[in-house]
Every structure is written in C-alpha cells, then in structure tokens.
Amino acid sequence: MRKANITVHLQQRNPPEGPAVIRSCPRRDPPEGLFVMWSCPRRDPSQGSAVMRPRPPSWEKRGGGGKVALRPRSGEAAAYPAAQRGPGRAAPPSWGRVAVATGGRRSTECGLRAEREDAPVAPPCGCSVPSVPGCGAASWAAHLKKRVYEEFSKVVQQQHEELSTKKLRLSKPSKSAALHVDLCKATSPADALQYLLQFARKPVEVESVEGVVRILLEHYYKENDASVRLKIASLLGLLSKTAGFSPDCIMDDAINTLQNEKSHQVLAQLLDTLLVIGTKLPENPSVRMRLVEVACKHLTDSSHGVRNKCLQLIGCLGPVEKGVAKEAESQAAKDVQKIIGDHFNDQDPRVRTAAIKAMLQLHERGLKLQQAIYSQACKLLADDYEQVRSAAVQLIWVLSQLYPESIVPIPSSNEEIRLVDDAFGKICHMVSDGSWVVRVQAAKLLGSMQQVSSHFLEQTLDKKLMSDLRRKRTAHERAKELYSSGEFSSGRKWGDDAPKEEIDTGAVNLIESGACGAFVHGLEDEMYEVRIAAVEALCMLAQSSPSFAEKCLDFLVDMFNDEIEEVRLQSIHTMRKISNNITLREDQLDTVLAVLEDSSRDIREALHELLCCTNVSTKEGIHLALVELLKNLTKYPTDRESIWKCLKFLGSRHPTLVLPLVPELLSTHPFFDTPEPDMDDPAYIAVLVLIFNAAKSCPTMPALFSDHTFRHYAYLRDSLSHLVPPLRLPGRKLVSSAVSPSISPHEDPSQQFLHQSLERVYNFQHLDPQGIQELLEFTIRDLQRLGELQSELAGMADFTATYLQCQLLLIKALQEKLWNVAAPLYLKQNALASAAAKQILEETYKMEFMYSGVESRQVVIIHHMRLQAKALQLIVTARTTRGVEPLFGMCEKFLQEVDSFQRCFISELPHMQGSFVDKLLDLMPRLVTSKPSEVVKILQTTLRQSTFLHLPLPEQLHKATANIIEPTGESDNPLRFTSGLVVALDVDATVEHVQDPQGTVKVQVLYPDGQAQLIHPKPADFRNPGPGRHRLITQVYLSHTAWTEPCQIEVRLLLAYNSNKSKASTRIPKSTWSDSSEALPPSENGIEGTIPFSKPVKVYIMPKPARR
C-alpha cells in the first residue's frame, strides 16, 4: 500500500451545502486511515470538498462500515446557521476554496492534513459516483488530487493581493472617522465640547481636512447646544488655514449654516470663518462679492459682535476697484465706502470703531477714500469712547495725506483753509485728550505731517493764539450780524444782552483754541509715553524746517531735566539729529552740560555725541564746555575715550573760538617760563586734543605754542593718532619731512603710504620666491603698524594685511620642494599645506563678515582666494589618500563650486584676466572629462601659474571691534560661589561697526578644564549711543563643580556669521546674484561659525563645595 500526504488550506467564505462525512478503512482507527470530506456532486466543482484529516477531538463514530462523522467544536457551528446546515448535519470548522501544498506539512491556518489510501469511497447523500476505468481508491484519489491541484493554481495570487491591501489600509487611521466616533460617544454637550477641545490640540494632515470638515458640518446641523456649535465654527476657521488646503469646497456649506443660526456668538464666529476662507482663496472678485453680500445681509443684526465681523469682512474683502462695484447688480455691490460710512453713527461704540478700522483697511488695500468722509471723521473726534477717537485720529491723518491741498470751510464762518492745515489743528487738539492712548497717537502723527503751513506749525509752541491765525470781521459783516440779531435785547432769553469778549466779536479763529501749544502740552504731559512721542514728533518736524528747529530748541533743552531717563535720552538723540540747524546759546549750553553729572553712562555718552555735532556761539561757551567735560573726566574716569573724542570734534568745529583761549589753556606767560605739564594726565591730554584739532584750521595758533607743546604734539601724534591730526608746524622737520613733495597738501601721508605699499607688492614679478615672501612679510608688518597708529585707516590697513597674509600662506604652501618629493616622505610639509589652506579659509571669512563697507569688487576677490584654498585642500588630500574612489566626489564638488563662482560673479570675470579661476574656466571642458589624478595635476599647475589679483580698496572700510569695559580682569580677589549654583557676572562692552549686533554678537566663557559656554544676549541688552556704535550691558551666569583653588576664566565676544547671509547676496547686482541659497556654491550653504573680535578678559572665580 502506497501513501501520499496532501496539506490543504481552506480560504473560500461560502460553505458547501452537502454534509461533512469522512470515510476511512474499516480495519483501522479513524485517525490513521483515509479521510475524505465530501459535498454533493451536483454543486459547482469549485465549491467541492477536500481530503482532510482533522484533529482527533473532532471525530465521532457514525454507522457501520468505518463511516465517521465530523462534528464542529464549540463556537464553530454558530458561524454556520442551522437553517443553512440542515437538520442533523454538522458544520465544518471552516470552508473555502482549496489550495494544496504537498509533503504533509502542517497548515498555518487550520492545522488540517489530508492523506489518501486505497479504500472505496462513497458519498453519504445517495448520489452515484461516476465510474472510472480501473475504478478503485487509487484512481479516484488521483482524480481528486488533480482537481485539488487545479484549484491551487487559481487562488495563490489572490491571497497575496488581499493581504497587501489590508496592510495599507490599516497603516494610517482616519482622523474624520475617529472624530465621528468620539462625537457619537458623547452623551451630553459638555462631552462633545471636551472631545472637540481635545481634537483641536492634535495636528490634522492636509488629506484629512476635507473629511474632518464634513464630519463637523454634519454634527453642526444635529447639535442643539450653542457652545458646541460655536466651537465647531471655530474649528472650521482653523482648518481652513491649513497649509495646502483650498477652502473653496466648504464655502457654500459655511454660508448655508448662517441661514438658520439664531445664536449671535455663533453667527459672529461663522462670519469670522468666512473671512478666513475669503482671505485664503486667491483673488476672485465673484467669490469676494458673494461674501460681501452675505456680510451686508447681517449688518442689521442686533448684536454688536455680528456687525463688527460684518464690517471687518467688508473691509478685508470689499472691492477696491470701482469697476467691479459697478458691474455687479445686487444691492451689496454699491459703494462699500457708503456702506461702512453709514455705521460711523452706530449706537454701539465698538461698531463705530470697527467701521473706522474697516475704512482704514480699505485704504491699506489700495482704495482711495472719498473726501466726503472727512466731515464724518471730524465729528467722531468728540466721541465719548477713546477707541473711537483713536481710530478717528488715524482716519483724519490718512485723509490729510490723500487730499492735502483741498479747501475745506471753517464751521460757523465763511473762511476756508487747506485740509492738511485743518487736520493738523484737529489732531493738535487731540494732544489734550483725556485718554493718554489718544494723546500718544496724536503726538506721533503730528511728526509725519510735513506739508503743514509754517504759521500753523509755530502755533503748536505757543499756548496763546497768534494774531496771524485770526481774521478780523469787516464792518459790513459786523453790521449784518447786529441787524440779524436785533439792536436791543428782547428779554425772552436769559443773558441775551450780556457783554461778550471783544476778540470773539470781531475775529474768526482759523485753528481751535484747544489746539494752541500742542507740543507744549505734549512735553508737559504726566505720562512719559506722551512726552517721548512729542519729542520724536518735534524731531521729525524740525528736520524739515530749520526755522521751526530754532524755535523748538528751548523746549528740547528743558526736556534734558526730565525725571525719566528714557525721555532724557530721547531728547539728547533728537537734538543730535537736528544739530546742523541750530546753535546753542550760553544759557542753553549750561542746561545741556548739567546732564554730564548724570549717573547713567548711556546719558553721558549720548551727550558727548551731541556735543560733537553742536555749534556753540561764544568762546565762553567753549570754555564752559571744556570745564564741565574735565569735571566729568575726574568724576567718571571710564569716560576718557568718549570725552577725548568729543573735544576733538569740538575743537575742529570752532577753531576761531578756541584761538583766544590757547594761552589760558596752555598756561603760557609772555615772559615767565611755566612748568611742563605731566603727559600722563588725562585732563592735559584732553586740552591738547582740543587745541591741536582747532590748530588744523587755524594757521596762526602754533605761534602760541611753547617748546614742550611741540614735543607733546609729536608724542601724541604717534600714540593717539586717531585723535590728533597732522599739522604743518613752522620749522619742525619732524612733521614736514613726512610729507613727500609729490603729495598734495590735502592728501593724507598715511593714505599715500598705504597705496604705495600695495603698488610695491603688486609688482614683485621680478623677484625670486624668497624675496617675494620677505616683501610680503615686511608689508604686512607695516600695514598692521599703520592700523594701530591711524584709527581712520585701521579697517583698510587690516583688511589689506589679511589679504596679503592669505597670499603669503598660499605661496609658502606651493613651494617647489614640497611637491617634488613623494608624499609619504614629506608628511610635515603636507601638514603645513593643509594648515595653510585651513587658515586661508578662516581669514577669508573674517574679511567677508568682520568688515563693513565691503563692495562687490572685494567680495569677488575674497571668494576667489577661498576657491584657491579649496583647490589646495583637494591637492593635499589627493596626495595623502589611497585609492581613486574617494577623489571622484571631491573633484565633482570642486568643479560645481567653480561653476557656481562663474554664475555668481559673471560680471566681474572680465577684470580677472590671468587669475586662477580664469584659467580654470578655459580648462573646464578638459577637467570635466579627466580622471581625478589628472584634475589634481591641472589644479597644481594652475595654482602656481596664476597671477596675483589686485585688491581694490573701497572709500570707507571699518572693522568690527569690541572692547570689554567690565569685568576689567585686574582684580586678584576671586569671585566665590557655591558649586552647583550660579553667579552673575556683569559684562559691559562697546561694539563698533557691527551691522546687526542683536543677532550676531555672542559672549563666550572658557573654563580652565576646556569647557566653553556660549551666551546669546537679549536684544534689550544692546543700546545705541551713536551711529555705528552699540553698547552691550548684560549678565552672564556662571556655574561649575567645586575647585580646590581659584582659577581664571576667559570672557570674550564673538561675531557669529552664516554664509547664507553673505555680503555677496546683498552687494552683487540682482542680475548676477540670486537671493536664494541655490546660487551659492554647494559647500557655502549653511556654513556657520564665530569669529573672536575682542581681547579676552580673565576673571578669577572659585566654586566652593556646598556645606553639608
């Protein structure tokens, strides 16, 4: 007897109708014989039965002849109803089409195994079995096996498709389905509101937004509670803001929800949602007109909130072109200005405010407002609510800028004046408003009204009405008024014949009496915000009117004594801005100099900056300023540099006033010798700085100098060259010899020396390599020394010295002996070349980001030098790297940078003939097709043969510098604190020539163990005492573990840079430089770093262990 094993998998869901009966050999127990599961042969063969071997617990003896019935386990029959099984029939445990795998392996689904054996088989339903030649168990089993194999071939592919589809569906659950389930579970409005609040905290993908909106709208129509509907309306607006989602598909539903809504709060929220939808949709006049129509229908609502939202929607979405409004036929298509203007007189102040803001919104969107609105806005200035008055002031200012020359009548008279003058008077009147918010706004707006007549402008400084703003009535007008009123009193009205002011009977005021002295009221206001706004407005008006600047000077000087430091500081800055138009009298100067005793360093330094720009009228004023500045120097020695700089400009601006004071200041006598003053005295240096700067424009002054004064001049000219100018002193070879005959009298010798040094360097082709290096070293040393002596040329000298230093490093790295020896034998020189390339890269970043005033011509030279350094890095890497594969990517990256350089600086390439990049671009077709080794050889040859590019210098170039004032670093007493806690270290520093100090200046703290701490100061820590100068006053919090003894930490300032914000992106013309980072070379994207630009200060600290 032969045995064959067949494993079956039941997968079809429709069960057969025939009974499940299994036939086995009568001589064996059921589990060991042949078991065949049958159904009726009349059924579709695809639903036929299979040869199975169930587990033993399912067997049951039934009848004779070895017949066994298969009973289902508990719970299996329930899935197959009795009506389908028929009475007394057992339901099989599972049904389906048959898939067969041979080998007797256990099925992974139901664990059934089928076997065949030579035994007669008959169905129990009474159907005849077809006779087959050689009929027997073996032939019938073969026939059955054939059918099973056919079924197997039909269903295998379907199984995998179904499983893969199920996995995809289950990987991303639906947000809308989850929300629907949550809302269905809610048993009360409070539960639904809670579910909505939880849902609002979760992010929603763009693909799910529309489904979520549909679910929310469905529940909105079902919900009876107003709070839940309000939250749903709010969620609709939030979902409409989702990036990438177009809310046009829900606009109709959102509009329909307004029809039957009774709650005012929900209506307002729905209108807000429509505003979001209309703002999010692209410019579509028909859609916006439809939304405006919806808003106009609800303008009659009794709730102020609904009317507010309607006006806001009209202001944001109303048509700004008149043609659009004329083409529409509906009622809402009429002029939106009339619709909004009708609500200027609404009973609710919040609606009146919303109407004015909607009108201003139309103006911001480009619609020119009608002049007829002006009279309505003037009436709103007398409103009882400050929000209405504040918005009305803004609207009047807008109309005065739109129609400045229009003529408007004066109420209760026949006079007419310009609209801008009338608006100026009305805004001046609001400076005396009861609300300080309105006063601040009115004072700020006054400063921007530059077209006002001069007599109206000057009236703001006098509380009494000037005569030129009154007009006398003619005799005919007075007689007509007398006739119309009757000569005698009728007695019907109390006080009818009472005498009146004479001035009112014969004059018409062109400006309201309350508007007189508007700036006087503003500068004397009890709120310091109003005083600051008035000072700023005075500054703006005085800059455009020199006569007004002279008249308001007394008022500004009085503000120097204000009790608030911010007001005093703003007053000083204001006077500095208008200093070119004013000259201080002695009494005014006395008041100004009194501020030098202020304890605030910001105030004192701002006053020094003011004195630098001020014009003084008399020599007594100069003497008074010098005395007060010397007192300031004695009281606050840290102000030394600021005072010296102030006296420098004071002397250069007033040479004729300093001349009569020279004998007194130098303590000289006609016939007595006076003792020589001490050169270490800062006060004596301050006097000399004043005199020497005045002597530059006064050739008769050096005759009053004594012998030691000339020696002191020579000393100060070398040590403080930024404060002492070059002088032509008679008979002094020390100064005259420095001026060559070829230099014009007006050309600075230091400037000439700088240009001569560069010309000498650019012509070194005839020198040998060693001579070239020595010349560069000497020139770099001279330029560095020049920068130390001449502060005006410090930026230009340091910039040039850095460029020459990069060129020197490149020449040293390209020496012949470095490249003629095999790389493994010359490791030291390889390291030298690699370090040189790295240092050149660092120096080029310093040149690009540490200097202000760099132009596109310098930027292209900097990037060219950086490209040479990267080529040197590639050459060194190729010599020290084994294999060719790593070099492919590096060469490709370098060629991309060359291509980006060409695209970015294409306009500058004609000026770079013979340079490294010029030769590379000629060889570009060859480089693209060459192997990495050939590319490296070409780069090496090109680097050696390229010419030295000339560096053109800009007119003004300043280097970013920082000086840490505190901590001084001179104290030997350690700063003690408990380890694990923090201690605050006060940092006070001055920063000069940094364009964005709030975003680029960082404080670094280096600990002895190598740890580094980087602190980002707050924007409020920076002050701006003058142009190009900033003051950093902040606190740095230190913390460390316990130490055994005190140690020093280093505090320094760093300048952060980002290559994406390169100067090239702002200075290269638009046609050659893209604003996006795609135009940058690949390696330039996102390169960030820091550059130290202050000397480190060492501070002793001592973290002590905590007490237990």
Side-chain angles (χ1 to χ4, degrees):
M1 180 183 298
R2 296 185 307 117
K3 179 183 291 187
N5 297 330
I6 302 174
T7 303
V8 300
H9 301 268
L10 305 179
Q11 295 173 353
Q12 185 172 337
R13 300 303 178 191
N14 298 325
E17 296 181 356
V21 180
I22 293 179
R23 182 84 180 270
S24 68
C25 177
R27 294 186 299 273
R28 298 187 180 184
D29 294 333
E32 298 177 1
L34 173 65
F35 316 108
V36 181
M37 179 175 164
W38 282 98
S39 64
C40 181
R42 301 191 189 99
R43 293 183 53 81
D44 184 12
S46 65
Q47 298 180 0
S49 36
V51 180
M52 303 178 56
R53 181 181 178 183
R55 287 186 287 268
S58 298
W59 295 109
E60 180 181 346
K61 289 276 187 176
R62 178 179 173 188
K67 294 183 179 180
V68 180
L70 178 64
R71 296 289 185 186
R73 299 186 183 93
S74 61
E76 292 179 347
Y80 189 67
Q84 297 182 12
R85 294 197 307 266
R89 295 181 179 178
S94 59
W95 304 95
R97 302 175 67 179
V98 181
V100 179
T102 59
R105 292 188 298 269
R106 180 72 61 181
S107 169
T108 57
E109 292 192 6
C110 57
L112 304 181
R113 183 167 66 181
E115 301 174 355
R116 68 180 176 82
E117 192 176 34
D118 289 338
V121 181
C125 59
C127 299
S128 60
V129 180
S131 60
V132 182
C135 177
S139 61
W140 182 249
H143 176 68
L144 181 63
K145 181 178 179 181
K146 181 179 180 181
R147 286 184 56 186
V148 167
Y149 271 107
E150 291 176 356
E151 295 295 334
F152 169 77
S153 63
K154 298 178 182 177
V155 298
V156 170
Q157 297 299 327
Q158 296 179 5
Q159 174 185 0
H160 293 289
E161 291 178 1
E162 291 178 1
L163 292 176
S164 61
T165 305
K166 288 181 181 179
K167 289 183 180 179
L168 288 175
R169 289 178 182 174
L170 295 177
S171 63
K172 193 173 184 180
S174 172
K175 294 276 185 180
S176 57
L179 179 63
H180 178 70
V181 170
D182 289 341
L183 292 176
C184 290
K185 289 192 300 184
T187 58
S188 65
D191 293 343
L193 192 59
Q194 192 65 29
Y195 285 129
L196 291 173
L197 290 173
Q198 294 175 0
F199 179 78
R201 301 187 188 103
K202 302 175 183 177
V204 181
E205 297 80 7
V206 181
E207 299 81 8
S208 306
V209 171
E210 188 170 357
V212 171
V213 168
R214 296 300 172 193
I215 296 297
L216 290 174
L217 288 171
E218 179 183 348
H219 285 271
Y220 177 89
Y221 292 122
K222 298 178 182 178
E223 186 60 50
N224 295 324
D225 188 79
S227 60
V228 179
R229 297 200 307 275
L230 178 65
K231 185 59 182 176
I232 291 176
S234 174
L235 284 176
L236 290 176
L238 291 175
L239 290 171
S240 300
K241 297 179 181 179
T242 306
F245 173 70
S246 180
D248 53 353
C249 57
I250 64 172
M251 188 182 68
D252 293 335
D253 295 315
I255 294 177
N256 292 334
T257 55
L258 291 169
Q259 306 300 327
N260 301 322
E261 184 58 57
K262 302 300 181 184
S263 172
H264 297 298
Q265 291 182 337
V266 180
L267 271 176
Q269 187 60 54
L270 287 172
L271 288 168
D272 188 70
T273 299
L274 287 178
L275 174 61
V276 172
I277 294 174
T279 307
K280 185 77 181 295
L281 290 176
E283 291 289 340
N284 190 340
S286 60
V287 171
R288 295 200 165 194
M289 184 58 66
R290 183 182 177 191
L291 293 176
V292 170
E293 290 178 5
V294 173
C296 292
K297 290 180 182 177
H298 292 83
L299 274 175
T300 57
D301 196 280
S302 59
S303 171
H304 69 87
V306 176
R307 300 201 299 276
N308 282 357
K309 291 298 179 182
C310 291
L311 291 170
Q312 184 180 356
L313 191 148
I314 294 174
C316 294
L317 303 180
V320 294
E321 297 180 3
K322 295 183 178 180
V324 175
K326 291 181 179 179
E327 293 173 2
E329 298 178 355
S330 63
Q331 182 68 19
K334 63 182 180 179
D335 193 4
V336 291
Q337 296 188 49
K338 173 121 182 11
I339 299 174
I340 297 175
D342 292 341
H343 289 78
F344 282 177
N345 299 322
D346 194 275
Q347 61 181 356
D348 195 290
R350 289 163 290 191
V351 179
R352 297 197 294 271
T353 306
I356 301 174
K357 290 182 177 180
M359 194 71 76
L360 293 173
Q361 183 70 27
L362 289 175
H363 166 70
E364 292 176 2
R365 293 176 53 216
L367 179 64
K368 187 174 183 180
L369 303 184
Q370 300 172 359
Q371 185 180 346
I373 304 173
Y374 180 74
S375 58
Q376 294 178 279
C378 292
K379 295 177 182 178
L380 293 174
L381 291 177
D383 199 276
D384 295 337
Y385 293 87
E386 68 175 57
Q387 295 88 352
V388 180
R389 298 197 302 273
S390 177
V393 168
Q394 182 73 23
L395 182 58
I396 288 178
W397 177 83
V398 167
L399 292 170
S400 70
Q401 304 302 308
L402 291 175
Y403 306 98
E405 302 299 329
S406 298
I407 303 300
V408 294
I410 297 178
S412 68
S413 71
N414 297 327
E415 288 297 316
E416 294 179 341
I417 59 173
R418 296 192 310 156
L419 190 145
V420 65
D421 292 337
D422 188 63
F424 184 78
K426 287 180 167 50
I427 296 179
C428 285
H429 182 70
M430 302 308 292
V431 177
S432 303
D433 192 84
S435 170
W436 71 271
V437 178
V438 179
R439 298 200 300 271
V440 168
Q441 186 175 17
K444 287 182 178 179
L445 293 177
L446 287 178
S448 58
M449 303 183 73
Q450 310 284 348
Q451 301 172 332
V452 183
S453 304
S454 59
H455 49 279
F456 280 91
L457 202 58
E458 295 167 2
Q459 179 62 65
T460 58
L461 301 175
D462 193 349
K463 293 183 179 180
K464 186 177 180 181
L465 189 64
M466 298 180 182
S467 59
D468 55 355
L469 292 182
R470 294 197 190 101
R471 190 189 67 80
K472 294 289 184 181
R473 289 193 180 99
T474 63
H476 178 71
E477 290 175 343
R478 290 197 298 271
K480 181 179 180 181
E481 183 181 1
L482 184 64
Y483 176 76
S484 61
S485 61
E487 184 177 359
F488 300 101
S489 172
S490 62
R492 295 180 180 178
K493 187 177 180 182
W494 176 258
D496 192 16
D497 55 350
K500 300 176 182 178
E501 281 190 53
E502 296 180 2
I503 194 171
D504 290 339
T505 58
V508 175
N509 295 342
L510 302 183
I511 187 173
E512 296 183 23
S513 58
C516 299
F519 281 123
V520 179
H521 292 296
L523 295 175
E524 296 175 351
D525 199 277
E526 60 179 350
M527 305 296 294
Y528 81 94
E529 293 91 349
V530 181
R531 300 199 296 273
I532 290 178
V535 168
E536 292 175 351
L538 272 179
C539 174
M540 297 174 66
L541 293 173
Q543 284 178 315
S544 60
S545 175
S547 60
F548 183 72
E550 196 70 33
K551 291 181 171 61
C552 71
L553 187 57
D554 286 327
F555 299 95
L556 281 177
V557 170
D558 288 340
M559 297 306 294
F560 283 17
N561 298 320
D562 196 273
E563 59 182 358
I564 303 296
E565 177 182 344
E566 189 175 351
V567 179
R568 299 198 300 271
L569 193 61
Q570 187 63 40
S571 303
I572 295 173
H573 289 327
T574 296
M575 187 173 289
R576 178 172 56 83
K577 292 177 182 177
I578 65 174
S579 58
N580 293 329
N581 300 330
I582 60 175
T583 300
L584 289 179
R585 302 189 308 269
E586 286 187 40
D587 58 325
Q588 295 170 341
L589 184 63
D590 195 11
T591 305
V592 170
L593 294 174
V595 187
L596 288 174
E597 299 180 1
D598 199 297
S599 60
S600 171
R601 181 167 181 171
D602 293 338
I603 295 290
R604 298 196 306 272
E605 289 191 353
L607 195 64
H608 296 158
E609 293 284 344
L610 169 62
L611 292 175
C612 290
C613 311
T614 302
N615 299 317
V616 183
S617 57
T618 61
K619 67 181 182 66
E620 287 78 11
I622 294 290
H623 189 269
L624 177 62
L626 178 61
V627 171
E628 293 298 328
L629 286 171
L630 293 180
K631 288 182 182 178
N632 181 13
L633 182 61
T634 304
K635 188 174 182 179
Y636 301 103
T638 56
D639 294 351
R640 183 180 62 183
E641 291 289 338
S642 180
I643 292 175
W644 286 352
K645 179 183 175 184
C646 173
L647 288 170
K648 170 189 173 182
F649 286 96
L650 204 61
S652 61
R653 293 176 71 94
H654 308 89
T656 56
L657 299 181
V658 176
L659 178 62
L661 299 174
V662 171
E664 180 183 357
L665 297 179
L666 294 179
S667 301
T668 57
H669 197 272
F671 48 86
F672 287 119
D673 284 339
T674 55
E676 182 176 349
D678 184 10
M679 278 303 298
D680 293 332
D681 184 10
Y684 178 63
I685 294 177
V687 173
L688 290 182
V689 168
L690 173 72
I691 293 174
F692 290 151
N693 281 278
K696 185 178 181 180
S697 304
C698 186
T700 60
M701 193 177 296
L704 302 176
F705 294 172
S706 57
D707 291 339
H708 61 262
T709 306
F710 291 104
R711 295 196 305 271
H712 294 169
Y713 166 76
Y715 171 74
L716 292 178
R717 179 71 185 125
D718 286 339
S719 59
L720 298 176
S721 57
H722 62 288
L723 296 174
V724 179
L727 297 179
R728 289 183 173 274
L729 301 180
R732 296 288 161 179
K733 295 182 180 180
L734 179 65
V735 179
S736 60
S737 61
V739 183
S740 65
S742 61
I743 300 178
S744 62
H746 301 287
E747 190 169 1
D748 189 2
S750 302
Q751 187 86 16
Q752 185 73 12
F753 174 77
L754 175 63
H755 290 289
Q756 289 177 354
S757 300
L758 291 179
E759 289 297 330
R760 186 169 59 250
V761 169
Y762 293 149
N763 299 322
F764 59 35
Q765 286 82 1
H766 62 281
L767 298 177
D768 60 328
Q770 186 64 28
I772 293 175
Q773 294 183 26
E774 292 179 357
L775 177 60
L776 285 174
E777 290 174 354
F778 292 149
T779 307
I780 291 170
R781 184 192 61 188
D782 292 343
L783 291 175
Q784 290 174 348
R785 178 60 179 158
L786 177 65
E788 295 174 359
L789 295 177
Q790 292 283 347
S791 62
E792 295 86 355
L793 297 176
M796 206 170 295
D798 291 341
F799 186 79
T800 309
T802 304
Y803 176 65
L804 297 181
Q805 181 69 28
C806 293
Q807 192 67 34
L808 178 62
L809 291 171
L810 189 63
I811 292 175
K812 288 183 177 180
L814 292 174
Q815 293 176 359
E816 288 287 339
K817 61 180 181 180
L818 174 61
W819 308 101
N820 293 337
V821 183
L825 302 178
Y826 236 61
L827 296 178
K828 181 179 179 181
Q829 278 70 16
N830 286 331
L832 175 65
S834 179
K838 183 179 179 181
Q839 185 176 353
I840 292 174
L841 289 176
E842 293 177 356
E843 296 296 335
T844 55
Y845 283 118
K846 287 183 181 180
M847 293 175 66
E848 187 172 4
F849 295 101
M850 275 193 68
Y851 294 86
S852 60
V854 180
E855 300 173 354
S856 59
R857 297 178 300 167
Q858 290 82 44
V859 173
V860 67
I861 300 294
I862 294 171
H863 280 261
H864 180 263
M865 179 61 69
R866 193 176 301 163
L867 194 64
Q868 289 178 292
K870 291 178 179 178
L872 181 60
Q873 278 185 336
L874 178 58
I875 296 172
V876 175
T877 306
R879 289 172 58 86
T880 56
T881 303
R882 293 183 178 180
V884 184
E885 295 182 359
L887 298 178
F888 277 105
M890 299 178 62
C891 292
E892 183 181 357
K893 183 179 178 181
F894 180 77
L895 294 179
Q896 290 177 358
E897 291 177 351
V898 175
D899 182 63
S900 300
F901 183 93
Q902 180 187 12
R903 288 187 287 107
C904 297
F905 302 104
I906 191 170
S907 62
E908 301 289 341
L909 290 179
H911 307 291
M912 305 177 69
Q913 297 295 332
S915 64
F916 171 69
V917 71
D918 183 56
K919 295 183 177 181
L920 277 188
L921 292 176
D922 293 339
L923 298 171
M924 202 63 171
R926 180 182 169 189
L927 290 172
V928 173
T929 58
S930 300
K931 296 180 180 179
S933 58
E934 298 178 3
V935 172
V936 170
K937 291 180 181 178
I938 295 174
L939 290 179
Q940 181 178 341
T941 307
T942 310
L943 271 178
R944 288 182 181 178
Q945 297 177 353
S946 59
T947 59
F948 182 29
L949 285 178
H950 292 209
L951 178 66
L953 294 178
E955 296 181 358
Q956 291 290 334
L957 194 65
H958 299 287
K959 183 180 180 180
T961 57
N963 181 30
I964 299 178
I965 302 171
E966 291 182 7
T968 58
E970 300 174 353
S971 176
D972 294 332
N973 296 325
L975 190 62
R976 301 180 183 273
F977 61 97
T978 304
S979 63
L981 301 180
V982 295
V983 62
L985 178 66
D986 293 326
V987 175
D988 187 355
T990 57
V991 179
E992 294 187 359
H993 306 300
V994 178
Q995 295 181 352
D996 181 23
Q998 289 85 355
T1000 56
V1001 176
K1002 316 293 180 188
V1003 182
Q1004 186 188 44
V1005 180
L1006 293 176
Y1007 293 94
D1009 58 354
Q1011 295 185 24
Q1013 180 183 1
L1014 196 64
I1015 297 97
H1016 303 262
K1018 297 178 293 185
D1021 294 338
F1022 291 92
R1023 322 284 174 82
N1024 185 13
R1029 299 179 61 239
H1030 290 84
R1031 182 82 176 279
L1032 173 61
I1033 302 176
T1034 186
Q1035 282 188 331
V1036 175
Y1037 295 99
L1038 309 175
S1039 181
H1040 211 280
T1041 57
W1043 296 354
T1044 56
E1045 59 182 16
C1047 286
Q1048 289 180 335
I1049 62 170
E1050 287 189 358
V1051 181
R1052 71 178 68 188
L1053 295 184
L1054 304 180
L1055 187 68
Y1057 66 87
N1058 187 344
S1059 60
N1060 289 337
K1061 300 178 181 178
S1062 167
K1063 289 183 174 67
S1065 62
T1066 58
R1067 301 184 188 277
I1068 296 297
K1070 293 291 183 182
S1071 59
T1072 60
W1073 188 271
S1074 174
D1075 289 335
S1076 65
S1077 61
E1078 296 176 357
L1080 289 169
S1083 62
E1084 294 290 298
N1085 289 332
I1087 292 183
E1088 298 181 357
T1090 55
I1091 304 171
F1093 73 122
S1094 74
K1095 294 181 179 179
V1097 176
K1098 295 184 178 181
V1099 181
Y1100 261 116
I1101 67 170
M1102 175 57 186
K1104 53 187 179 181
R1107 295 180 180 179
R1108 297 183 178 178

